Amino acid sequence: MTLDQPDTVLDQAQKAAETADVAAYLDARQHLIHRERSLRLDAPKLASLSAEEELANEILLKLRTQQLRSLPQTEGDLASSAASSGYTTFRDEPFYRSKLAGAFADGPLPDIFKKMPKGANLHCHLDGSCDARFLLHLAATTKDLCIQSNISIISQQDLFKATIKFRVFPGAEEQYAIQHPKQGATTPSIFTSSYNPFDWIPVTVVRHRFPFPYAYLAKHGLDLMSPTTPSSPPLAFDSWLHTLITMTPHAGGPERRTSSAAWGHFLTTFGVIEGIIGYEPNFKVFCKEIMLQMARDGVRYFEARVNFLTEFMVRWNGELTLGHLDWCRIFLEAQAEAKEQLAQEGFAFDGARVIYSTVRVINNEQLRASMLDCISLKTKYPDLIVGFDLVGHEDPGIPAKAYLPVLLWFRQHTLALGLDIPFILHGGETLGDGEAADENLYDVLLLGSKRIGHGYSLYKHPILMDLCKKRNVLIECCPISNEVLGYTASISGHPLPALLANGVPVAICNDDCSMFGNVGLTPDLFTVFMGIESLCLSSLNVLTRKSIEHSQMPEAQKKTSLLDFDAQWAEFITWIITHYR
Ligand SMILES: [Zn+2]
């Protein structure tokens, strides 16, 4: 009898039951588990581990158990018996609660994850990729940056009702000082009843007159923004701004219970950030800072979705005329500077490329115009632009099917021009089953997308999963984003294990780490490792290595990058054994 076939195994178990043969039953059980696990994405790797890798795996799994048990179960039916039952809290906790509980803080396991080589970050939106604290720094230090509100902000509730925008107007600070030589409580700012909605006021004025308390202390007693507990008006202003540009829970805002409520706030964060980074000098330091942060986190390469829906940023002289070609130029200038600095600091960095993105709210005509724009950028910067994508909230967004004539035209047109601009599309970022956003997955694959952004609902599609395996289409999985945006209550409800179990190629990505108060890929990789029992260190090696394999790097660069990554990983394994054995 062969035990390769699962139903044969069931027959053996039935026979074992008839004779109460525990050993035969356990044998059948072991075969069934083994058979199923052989389909996993990480199975080939796990079948060929070196002795060192085995040892490092053991060390890491032991540390995970310790770390999980160190997190107290403070509520629910297992609270009193948690310590004795070994029941742990991380897996069914929302991300922000785990963060508040210190699960991501220093300790052996978080330290190991910070040091881990991360490969490539294949799914990140440029405007959502910088440490939010750096944006606060930019807002506080950019000369002549002004703030605008659509209402006078008189009460604390108004703080979270107002639509806030930023923009640089050269000379604004000087002009304000001339107009208001004696500044006092009644001098116009967005916090006075005399404020004319939509007037621009220098941030430096508003920041020093912020009349409300620090945003994060009241509710949680802990601060997710910074380790200090300041109370001065400028720092209280910063905490408010932090609530506007991140998803961090705070006392003043409504609790966001649904995915659409989360998206409602999420989309507004981009409008606030836009004015801070959309200024020529700031855009350059912003791009450079992202590259520094990623590389210092162990991300050696990334492909950023850049949203080209807005036509212009503000030029250094205040004119709203900085177009898309300039954005690309600045991105490359920032990259050159970042590479030089990172080389000095000793961090590996293969650079970054751009996936041209527009938002799935536009019509076919506008999409065609975006595609022509993408083609002109690709012609000027052939090594920089590596794909095309449609982004935004997929459930209410226009489905791919509605864009088909233009999407197909783009393939035909770029082929005729001899340009390689593959689709790298978002798809299935939805809880739906059979809705338009779920059906986008069919189009994403039929359109030949190189990878799938999120693919959250892919696990409901056996044939599509099979196609991903056969055609080597990788899923860009963004676990923390999916949770914060309301697709799952915690990591334990995430469909990633289903994809891994089916052998679907996956890489872990961070989507918009800025909005989630994160930096780099460490938090997402840490979350999946802590949250999914079947993952070990070598599974993480598979996930991170896949990210480089499925990047749009030119083949020669990819080959070198993979060799470097393998060397980094081998060093990492040795480092774990040396430090934690
Ligand atoms: Zn995305």
Side-chain angles (χ1 to χ4, degrees), residues 487-510:
Y487 297 99
T488 177
S490 68
I491 184 63
S492 57
H494 197 281
L496 172 63
L499 300 181
L500 297 175
N502 280 280
V504 177
V506 177
I508 303 300
C509 313
N510 64 3

mmCIF file with all atom_site columns, all heavy atoms in Angstrom, residues 487-510:
data_model
loop_
_atom_site.group_PDB
_atom_site.id
_atom_site.type_symbol
_atom_site.label_atom_id
_atom_site.label_alt_id
_atom_site.label_comp_id
_atom_site.label_asym_id
_atom_site.label_entity_id
_atom_site.label_seq_id
_atom_site.pdbx_PDB_ins_code
_atom_site.Cartn_x
_atom_site.Cartn_y
_atom_site.Cartn_z
_atom_site.occupancy
_atom_site.B_iso_or_equiv
_atom_site.pdbx_formal_charge
_atom_site.auth_seq_id
_atom_site.auth_comp_id
_atom_site.auth_asym_id
_atom_site.auth_atom_id
_atom_site.pdbx_PDB_model_num
ATOM 1   N N   . TYR A 1 487 ? -9.355  44.404 7.006  1.00 0.00 ? 487 TYR A N   1
ATOM 2   C CA  . TYR A 1 487 ? -9.672  43.158 6.306  1.00 0.00 ? 487 TYR A CA  1
ATOM 3   C C   . TYR A 1 487 ? -9.602  41.953 7.237  1.00 0.00 ? 487 TYR A C   1
ATOM 4   O O   . TYR A 1 487 ? -10.131 40.897 6.929  1.00 0.00 ? 487 TYR A O   1
ATOM 5   C CB  . TYR A 1 487 ? -8.739  42.968 5.100  1.00 0.00 ? 487 TYR A CB  1
ATOM 6   C CG  . TYR A 1 487 ? -8.918  44.064 4.078  1.00 0.00 ? 487 TYR A CG  1
ATOM 7   C CD1 . TYR A 1 487 ? -8.056  45.154 4.020  1.00 0.00 ? 487 TYR A CD1 1
ATOM 8   C CD2 . TYR A 1 487 ? -10.007 44.043 3.211  1.00 0.00 ? 487 TYR A CD2 1
ATOM 9   C CE1 . TYR A 1 487 ? -8.256  46.180 3.113  1.00 0.00 ? 487 TYR A CE1 1
ATOM 10  C CE2 . TYR A 1 487 ? -10.215 45.065 2.300  1.00 0.00 ? 487 TYR A CE2 1
ATOM 11  C CZ  . TYR A 1 487 ? -9.336  46.132 2.257  1.00 0.00 ? 487 TYR A CZ  1
ATOM 12  O OH  . TYR A 1 487 ? -9.545  47.148 1.370  1.00 0.00 ? 487 TYR A OH  1
ATOM 13  N N   . THR A 1 488 ? -8.893  42.110 8.337  1.00 0.00 ? 488 THR A N   1
ATOM 14  C CA  . THR A 1 488 ? -8.867  41.047 9.341  1.00 0.00 ? 488 THR A CA  1
ATOM 15  C C   . THR A 1 488 ? -8.681  41.708 10.700 1.00 0.00 ? 488 THR A C   1
ATOM 16  O O   . THR A 1 488 ? -8.085  42.780 10.794 1.00 0.00 ? 488 THR A O   1
ATOM 17  C CB  . THR A 1 488 ? -7.731  40.034 9.066  1.00 0.00 ? 488 THR A CB  1
ATOM 18  O OG1 . THR A 1 488 ? -7.705  39.066 10.120 1.00 0.00 ? 488 THR A OG1 1
ATOM 19  C CG2 . THR A 1 488 ? -6.369  40.700 8.997  1.00 0.00 ? 488 THR A CG2 1
ATOM 20  N N   . ALA A 1 489 ? -9.207  41.058 11.744 1.00 0.00 ? 489 ALA A N   1
ATOM 21  C CA  . ALA A 1 489 ? -9.120  41.654 13.076 1.00 0.00 ? 489 ALA A CA  1
ATOM 22  C C   . ALA A 1 489 ? -7.730  41.495 13.673 1.00 0.00 ? 489 ALA A C   1
ATOM 23  O O   . ALA A 1 489 ? -7.316  42.264 14.529 1.00 0.00 ? 489 ALA A O   1
ATOM 24  C CB  . ALA A 1 489 ? -10.157 41.014 13.992 1.00 0.00 ? 489 ALA A CB  1
ATOM 25  N N   . SER A 1 490 ? -7.001  40.485 13.206 1.00 0.00 ? 490 SER A N   1
ATOM 26  C CA  . SER A 1 490 ? -5.649  40.248 13.718 1.00 0.00 ? 490 SER A CA  1
ATOM 27  C C   . SER A 1 490 ? -4.925  39.367 12.707 1.00 0.00 ? 490 SER A C   1
ATOM 28  O O   . SER A 1 490 ? -5.534  38.865 11.765 1.00 0.00 ? 490 SER A O   1
ATOM 29  C CB  . SER A 1 490 ? -5.699  39.548 15.076 1.00 0.00 ? 490 SER A CB  1
ATOM 30  O OG  . SER A 1 490 ? -6.203  38.237 14.900 1.00 0.00 ? 490 SER A OG  1
ATOM 31  N N   . ILE A 1 491 ? -3.646  39.140 12.940 1.00 0.00 ? 491 ILE A N   1
ATOM 32  C CA  . ILE A 1 491 ? -2.863  38.347 11.992 1.00 0.00 ? 491 ILE A CA  1
ATOM 33  C C   . ILE A 1 491 ? -3.420  36.920 11.867 1.00 0.00 ? 491 ILE A C   1
ATOM 34  O O   . ILE A 1 491 ? -3.313  36.285 10.817 1.00 0.00 ? 491 ILE A O   1
ATOM 35  C CB  . ILE A 1 491 ? -1.359  38.337 12.383 1.00 0.00 ? 491 ILE A CB  1
ATOM 36  C CG1 . ILE A 1 491 ? -0.505  37.587 11.348 1.00 0.00 ? 491 ILE A CG1 1
ATOM 37  C CG2 . ILE A 1 491 ? -1.131  37.760 13.764 1.00 0.00 ? 491 ILE A CG2 1
ATOM 38  C CD1 . ILE A 1 491 ? -0.489  38.194 9.963  1.00 0.00 ? 491 ILE A CD1 1
ATOM 39  N N   . SER A 1 492 ? -4.063  36.434 12.919 1.00 0.00 ? 492 SER A N   1
ATOM 40  C CA  . SER A 1 492 ? -4.528  35.036 12.864 1.00 0.00 ? 492 SER A CA  1
ATOM 41  C C   . SER A 1 492 ? -5.652  34.835 11.849 1.00 0.00 ? 492 SER A C   1
ATOM 42  O O   . SER A 1 492 ? -5.925  33.706 11.453 1.00 0.00 ? 492 SER A O   1
ATOM 43  C CB  . SER A 1 492 ? -4.970  34.562 14.247 1.00 0.00 ? 492 SER A CB  1
ATOM 44  O OG  . SER A 1 492 ? -5.976  35.412 14.726 1.00 0.00 ? 492 SER A OG  1
ATOM 45  N N   . GLY A 1 493 ? -6.301  35.917 11.416 1.00 0.00 ? 493 GLY A N   1
ATOM 46  C CA  . GLY A 1 493 ? -7.354  35.760 10.411 1.00 0.00 ? 493 GLY A CA  1
ATOM 47  C C   . GLY A 1 493 ? -6.867  36.036 9.000  1.00 0.00 ? 493 GLY A C   1
ATOM 48  O O   . GLY A 1 493 ? -7.648  36.023 8.047  1.00 0.00 ? 493 GLY A O   1
ATOM 49  N N   . HIS A 1 494 ? -5.571  36.281 8.847  1.00 0.00 ? 494 HIS A N   1
ATOM 50  C CA  . HIS A 1 494 ? -5.043  36.650 7.529  1.00 0.00 ? 494 HIS A CA  1
ATOM 51  C C   . HIS A 1 494 ? -4.913  35.425 6.622  1.00 0.00 ? 494 HIS A C   1
ATOM 52  O O   . HIS A 1 494 ? -4.546  34.347 7.094  1.00 0.00 ? 494 HIS A O   1
ATOM 53  C CB  . HIS A 1 494 ? -3.671  37.324 7.703  1.00 0.00 ? 494 HIS A CB  1
ATOM 54  C CG  . HIS A 1 494 ? -3.235  38.087 6.499  1.00 0.00 ? 494 HIS A CG  1
ATOM 55  N ND1 . HIS A 1 494 ? -2.702  37.461 5.392  1.00 0.00 ? 494 HIS A ND1 1
ATOM 56  C CD2 . HIS A 1 494 ? -3.273  39.404 6.208  1.00 0.00 ? 494 HIS A CD2 1
ATOM 57  C CE1 . HIS A 1 494 ? -2.425  38.382 4.472  1.00 0.00 ? 494 HIS A CE1 1
ATOM 58  N NE2 . HIS A 1 494 ? -2.764  39.574 4.945  1.00 0.00 ? 494 HIS A NE2 1
ATOM 59  N N   . PRO A 1 495 ? -5.199  35.568 5.321  1.00 0.00 ? 495 PRO A N   1
ATOM 60  C CA  . PRO A 1 495 ? -5.142  34.396 4.434  1.00 0.00 ? 495 PRO A CA  1
ATOM 61  C C   . PRO A 1 495 ? -3.736  33.975 3.996  1.00 0.00 ? 495 PRO A C   1
ATOM 62  O O   . PRO A 1 495 ? -3.604  33.002 3.247  1.00 0.00 ? 495 PRO A O   1
ATOM 63  C CB  . PRO A 1 495 ? -5.954  34.845 3.210  1.00 0.00 ? 495 PRO A CB  1
ATOM 64  C CG  . PRO A 1 495 ? -5.877  36.329 3.209  1.00 0.00 ? 495 PRO A CG  1
ATOM 65  C CD  . PRO A 1 495 ? -5.762  36.751 4.646  1.00 0.00 ? 495 PRO A CD  1
ATOM 66  N N   . LEU A 1 496 ? -2.694  34.660 4.470  1.00 0.00 ? 496 LEU A N   1
ATOM 67  C CA  . LEU A 1 496 ? -1.336  34.290 4.052  1.00 0.00 ? 496 LEU A CA  1
ATOM 68  C C   . LEU A 1 496 ? -1.045  32.790 4.212  1.00 0.00 ? 496 LEU A C   1
ATOM 69  O O   . LEU A 1 496 ? -0.485  32.173 3.300  1.00 0.00 ? 496 LEU A O   1
ATOM 70  C CB  . LEU A 1 496 ? -0.305  35.137 4.822  1.00 0.00 ? 496 LEU A CB  1
ATOM 71  C CG  . LEU A 1 496 ? 1.160   34.737 4.644  1.00 0.00 ? 496 LEU A CG  1
ATOM 72  C CD1 . LEU A 1 496 ? 1.619   34.906 3.199  1.00 0.00 ? 496 LEU A CD1 1
ATOM 73  C CD2 . LEU A 1 496 ? 2.062   35.559 5.575  1.00 0.00 ? 496 LEU A CD2 1
ATOM 74  N N   . PRO A 1 497 ? -1.414  32.163 5.356  1.00 0.00 ? 497 PRO A N   1
ATOM 75  C CA  . PRO A 1 497 ? -1.102  30.728 5.482  1.00 0.00 ? 497 PRO A CA  1
ATOM 76  C C   . PRO A 1 497 ? -1.723  29.883 4.373  1.00 0.00 ? 497 PRO A C   1
ATOM 77  O O   . PRO A 1 497 ? -1.138  28.879 3.959  1.00 0.00 ? 497 PRO A O   1
ATOM 78  C CB  . PRO A 1 497 ? -1.696  30.358 6.852  1.00 0.00 ? 497 PRO A CB  1
ATOM 79  C CG  . PRO A 1 497 ? -1.704  31.637 7.616  1.00 0.00 ? 497 PRO A CG  1
ATOM 80  C CD  . PRO A 1 497 ? -2.003  32.706 6.602  1.00 0.00 ? 497 PRO A CD  1
ATOM 81  N N   . ALA A 1 498 ? -2.901  30.291 3.878  1.00 0.00 ? 498 ALA A N   1
ATOM 82  C CA  . ALA A 1 498 ? -3.538  29.517 2.801  1.00 0.00 ? 498 ALA A CA  1
ATOM 83  C C   . ALA A 1 498 ? -2.692  29.592 1.532  1.00 0.00 ? 498 ALA A C   1
ATOM 84  O O   . ALA A 1 498 ? -2.523  28.597 0.818  1.00 0.00 ? 498 ALA A O   1
ATOM 85  C CB  . ALA A 1 498 ? -4.942  30.053 2.533  1.00 0.00 ? 498 ALA A CB  1
ATOM 86  N N   . LEU A 1 499 ? -2.138  30.773 1.252  1.00 0.00 ? 499 LEU A N   1
ATOM 87  C CA  . LEU A 1 499 ? -1.297  30.920 0.057  1.00 0.00 ? 499 LEU A CA  1
ATOM 88  C C   . LEU A 1 499 ? -0.025  30.096 0.209  1.00 0.00 ? 499 LEU A C   1
ATOM 89  O O   . LEU A 1 499 ? 0.402   29.398 -0.715 1.00 0.00 ? 499 LEU A O   1
ATOM 90  C CB  . LEU A 1 499 ? -0.952  32.395 -0.173 1.00 0.00 ? 499 LEU A CB  1
ATOM 91  C CG  . LEU A 1 499 ? -2.137  33.342 -0.382 1.00 0.00 ? 499 LEU A CG  1
ATOM 92  C CD1 . LEU A 1 499 ? -1.641  34.767 -0.611 1.00 0.00 ? 499 LEU A CD1 1
ATOM 93  C CD2 . LEU A 1 499 ? -3.001  32.897 -1.552 1.00 0.00 ? 499 LEU A CD2 1
ATOM 94  N N   . LEU A 1 500 ? 0.587   30.180 1.387  1.00 0.00 ? 500 LEU A N   1
ATOM 95  C CA  . LEU A 1 500 ? 1.830   29.434 1.619  1.00 0.00 ? 500 LEU A CA  1
ATOM 96  C C   . LEU A 1 500 ? 1.580   27.934 1.518  1.00 0.00 ? 500 LEU A C   1
ATOM 97  O O   . LEU A 1 500 ? 2.357   27.202 0.905  1.00 0.00 ? 500 LEU A O   1
ATOM 98  C CB  . LEU A 1 500 ? 2.403   29.772 3.002  1.00 0.00 ? 500 LEU A CB  1
ATOM 99  C CG  . LEU A 1 500 ? 2.826   31.229 3.222  1.00 0.00 ? 500 LEU A CG  1
ATOM 100 C CD1 . LEU A 1 500 ? 3.251   31.446 4.664  1.00 0.00 ? 500 LEU A CD1 1
ATOM 101 C CD2 . LEU A 1 500 ? 3.958   31.611 2.268  1.00 0.00 ? 500 LEU A CD2 1
ATOM 102 N N   . ALA A 1 501 ? 0.472   27.479 2.106  1.00 0.00 ? 501 ALA A N   1
ATOM 103 C CA  . ALA A 1 501 ? 0.163   26.046 2.105  1.00 0.00 ? 501 ALA A CA  1
ATOM 104 C C   . ALA A 1 501 ? -0.047  25.534 0.685  1.00 0.00 ? 501 ALA A C   1
ATOM 105 O O   . ALA A 1 501 ? 0.237   24.378 0.378  1.00 0.00 ? 501 ALA A O   1
ATOM 106 C CB  . ALA A 1 501 ? -1.080  25.784 2.946  1.00 0.00 ? 501 ALA A CB  1
ATOM 107 N N   . ASN A 1 502 ? -0.548  26.415 -0.184 1.00 0.00 ? 502 ASN A N   1
ATOM 108 C CA  . ASN A 1 502 ? -0.788  26.025 -1.575 1.00 0.00 ? 502 ASN A CA  1
ATOM 109 C C   . ASN A 1 502 ? 0.424   26.240 -2.475 1.00 0.00 ? 502 ASN A C   1
ATOM 110 O O   . ASN A 1 502 ? 0.340   26.048 -3.680 1.00 0.00 ? 502 ASN A O   1
ATOM 111 C CB  . ASN A 1 502 ? -1.988  26.797 -2.133 1.00 0.00 ? 502 ASN A CB  1
ATOM 112 C CG  . ASN A 1 502 ? -3.308  26.189 -1.682 1.00 0.00 ? 502 ASN A CG  1
ATOM 113 O OD1 . ASN A 1 502 ? -3.759  25.202 -2.242 1.00 0.00 ? 502 ASN A OD1 1
ATOM 114 N ND2 . ASN A 1 502 ? -3.892  26.747 -0.644 1.00 0.00 ? 502 ASN A ND2 1
ATOM 115 N N   . GLY A 1 503 ? 1.517   26.699 -1.891 1.00 0.00 ? 503 GLY A N   1
ATOM 116 C CA  . GLY A 1 503 ? 2.737   26.875 -2.674 1.00 0.00 ? 503 GLY A CA  1
ATOM 117 C C   . GLY A 1 503 ? 2.718   28.076 -3.602 1.00 0.00 ? 503 GLY A C   1
ATOM 118 O O   . GLY A 1 503 ? 3.479   28.146 -4.572 1.00 0.00 ? 503 GLY A O   1
ATOM 119 N N   . VAL A 1 504 ? 1.853   29.058 -3.316 1.00 0.00 ? 504 VAL A N   1
ATOM 120 C CA  . VAL A 1 504 ? 1.781   30.263 -4.153 1.00 0.00 ? 504 VAL A CA  1
ATOM 121 C C   . VAL A 1 504 ? 2.968   31.174 -3.807 1.00 0.00 ? 504 VAL A C   1
ATOM 122 O O   . VAL A 1 504 ? 3.232   31.403 -2.624 1.00 0.00 ? 504 VAL A O   1
ATOM 123 C CB  . VAL A 1 504 ? 0.447   31.010 -3.896 1.00 0.00 ? 504 VAL A CB  1
ATOM 124 C CG1 . VAL A 1 504 ? 0.390   32.304 -4.691 1.00 0.00 ? 504 VAL A CG1 1
ATOM 125 C CG2 . VAL A 1 504 ? -0.732  30.114 -4.229 1.00 0.00 ? 504 VAL A CG2 1
ATOM 126 N N   . PRO A 1 505 ? 3.682   31.700 -4.811 1.00 0.00 ? 505 PRO A N   1
ATOM 127 C CA  . PRO A 1 505 ? 4.806   32.601 -4.502 1.00 0.00 ? 505 PRO A CA  1
ATOM 128 C C   . PRO A 1 505 ? 4.328   33.860 -3.772 1.00 0.00 ? 505 PRO A C   1
ATOM 129 O O   . PRO A 1 505 ? 3.371   34.500 -4.208 1.00 0.00 ? 505 PRO A O   1
ATOM 130 C CB  . PRO A 1 505 ? 5.373   32.977 -5.881 1.00 0.00 ? 505 PRO A CB  1
ATOM 131 C CG  . PRO A 1 505 ? 4.802   31.998 -6.841 1.00 0.00 ? 505 PRO A CG  1
ATOM 132 C CD  . PRO A 1 505 ? 3.518   31.503 -6.260 1.00 0.00 ? 505 PRO A CD  1
ATOM 133 N N   . VAL A 1 506 ? 4.988   34.183 -2.673 1.00 0.00 ? 506 VAL A N   1
ATOM 134 C CA  . VAL A 1 506 ? 4.596   35.341 -1.860 1.00 0.00 ? 506 VAL A CA  1
ATOM 135 C C   . VAL A 1 506 ? 5.852   36.079 -1.415 1.00 0.00 ? 506 VAL A C   1
ATOM 136 O O   . VAL A 1 506 ? 6.889   35.463 -1.174 1.00 0.00 ? 506 VAL A O   1
ATOM 137 C CB  . VAL A 1 506 ? 3.824   34.895 -0.587 1.00 0.00 ? 506 VAL A CB  1
ATOM 138 C CG1 . VAL A 1 506 ? 3.476   36.095 0.283  1.00 0.00 ? 506 VAL A CG1 1
ATOM 139 C CG2 . VAL A 1 506 ? 2.558   34.128 -0.929 1.00 0.00 ? 506 VAL A CG2 1
ATOM 140 N N   . ALA A 1 507 ? 5.748   37.401 -1.325 1.00 0.00 ? 507 ALA A N   1
ATOM 141 C CA  . ALA A 1 507 ? 6.754   38.193 -0.610 1.00 0.00 ? 507 ALA A CA  1
ATOM 142 C C   . ALA A 1 507 ? 6.008   39.070 0.387  1.00 0.00 ? 507 ALA A C   1
ATOM 143 O O   . ALA A 1 507 ? 4.857   39.438 0.152  1.00 0.00 ? 507 ALA A O   1
ATOM 144 C CB  . ALA A 1 507 ? 7.558   39.057 -1.570 1.00 0.00 ? 507 ALA A CB  1
ATOM 145 N N   . ILE A 1 508 ? 6.666   39.369 1.495  1.00 0.00 ? 508 ILE A N   1
ATOM 146 C CA  . ILE A 1 508 ? 6.044   40.221 2.508  1.00 0.00 ? 508 ILE A CA  1
ATOM 147 C C   . ILE A 1 508 ? 6.443   41.671 2.215  1.00 0.00 ? 508 ILE A C   1
ATOM 148 O O   . ILE A 1 508 ? 7.622   41.973 2.009  1.00 0.00 ? 508 ILE A O   1
ATOM 149 C CB  . ILE A 1 508 ? 6.498   39.812 3.928  1.00 0.00 ? 508 ILE A CB  1
ATOM 150 C CG1 . ILE A 1 508 ? 6.178   38.331 4.178  1.00 0.00 ? 508 ILE A CG1 1
ATOM 151 C CG2 . ILE A 1 508 ? 5.841   40.696 4.987  1.00 0.00 ? 508 ILE A CG2 1
ATOM 152 C CD1 . ILE A 1 508 ? 4.721   37.954 4.083  1.00 0.00 ? 508 ILE A CD1 1
ATOM 153 N N   . CYS A 1 509 ? 5.452   42.547 2.205  1.00 0.00 ? 509 CYS A N   1
ATOM 154 C CA  . CYS A 1 509 ? 5.688   43.958 1.875  1.00 0.00 ? 509 CYS A CA  1
ATOM 155 C C   . CYS A 1 509 ? 4.999   44.828 2.930  1.00 0.00 ? 509 CYS A C   1
ATOM 156 O O   . CYS A 1 509 ? 4.300   44.315 3.802  1.00 0.00 ? 509 CYS A O   1
ATOM 157 C CB  . CYS A 1 509 ? 5.128   44.274 0.493  1.00 0.00 ? 509 CYS A CB  1
ATOM 158 S SG  . CYS A 1 509 ? 5.584   43.052 -0.767 1.00 0.00 ? 509 CYS A SG  1
ATOM 159 N N   . ASN A 1 510 ? 5.201   46.151 2.832  1.00 0.00 ? 510 ASN A N   1
ATOM 160 C CA  . ASN A 1 510 ? 4.662   46.996 3.917  1.00 0.00 ? 510 ASN A CA  1
ATOM 161 C C   . ASN A 1 510 ? 3.637   48.033 3.464  1.00 0.00 ? 510 ASN A C   1
ATOM 162 O O   . ASN A 1 510 ? 3.094   48.740 4.299  1.00 0.00 ? 510 ASN A O   1
ATOM 163 C CB  . ASN A 1 510 ? 5.801   47.648 4.703  1.00 0.00 ? 510 ASN A CB  1
ATOM 164 C CG  . ASN A 1 510 ? 6.617   48.615 3.862  1.00 0.00 ? 510 ASN A CG  1
ATOM 165 O OD1 . ASN A 1 510 ? 6.305   48.853 2.691  1.00 0.00 ? 510 ASN A OD1 1
ATOM 166 N ND2 . ASN A 1 510 ? 7.653   49.178 4.444  1.00 0.00 ? 510 ASN A ND2 1
#
